[in-house]
Amino acid sequence: MKEIFEQYKYTIIGGIAGLFLAALFFTIGFWKSILSIIIIGIGMVIGFSKDRDVNVKEYFDDFWTNKKEWK
C-alpha cells in the first residue's frame, strides 16, 4: 500500500482535492466556494511567511521581477 501511495502520491492528493472542491460547489455554491478558496489561500500565504520567516511583500516582489530566489 505504501509503495502505491509513493508512486501515485500527487494523483491521490489531486483526486482528494477535486473531491473536496466538488463537495464545496454542490453544498455552498460556486461563488461562496471561490471566496472560501481565496481566504484559505491568504491564510496559507500568512502561514508560509511565519513558517519560513519570509517577508511576503519581498517574496512577491522578487517573484514578479524574475529574481526567483526560492527560500
Side-chain angles (χ1 to χ4, degrees):
M1 186 73 164
K2 185 177 181 179
E3 298 86 21
I4 293 173
F5 181 75
E6 288 297 322
Q7 184 177 1
Y8 299 108
K9 177 171 54 174
Y10 295 111
T11 304
I12 294 169
I13 292 170
I16 292 170
L19 178 66
F20 178 73
L21 286 174
L24 276 178
F25 288 156
F26 286 124
T27 57
I28 65 173
F30 179 76
W31 292 112
K32 289 181 183 177
S33 297
I34 297 298
L35 178 62
S36 298
I37 292 167
I38 291 170
I39 292 171
I40 290 169
I42 291 169
M44 290 174 65
V45 167
I46 292 170
F48 175 79
S49 70
K50 297 295 183 185
D51 285 343
R52 302 274 175 110
D53 196 31
V54 174
N55 184 339
V56 176
K57 183 181 180 322
E58 289 177 9
Y59 181 80
F60 282 110
D61 286 344
D62 291 344
F63 179 79
W64 293 115
T65 57
N66 292 325
K67 292 181 183 176
K68 293 185 184 177
E69 296 175 13
W70 302 98
K71 298 177 182 178

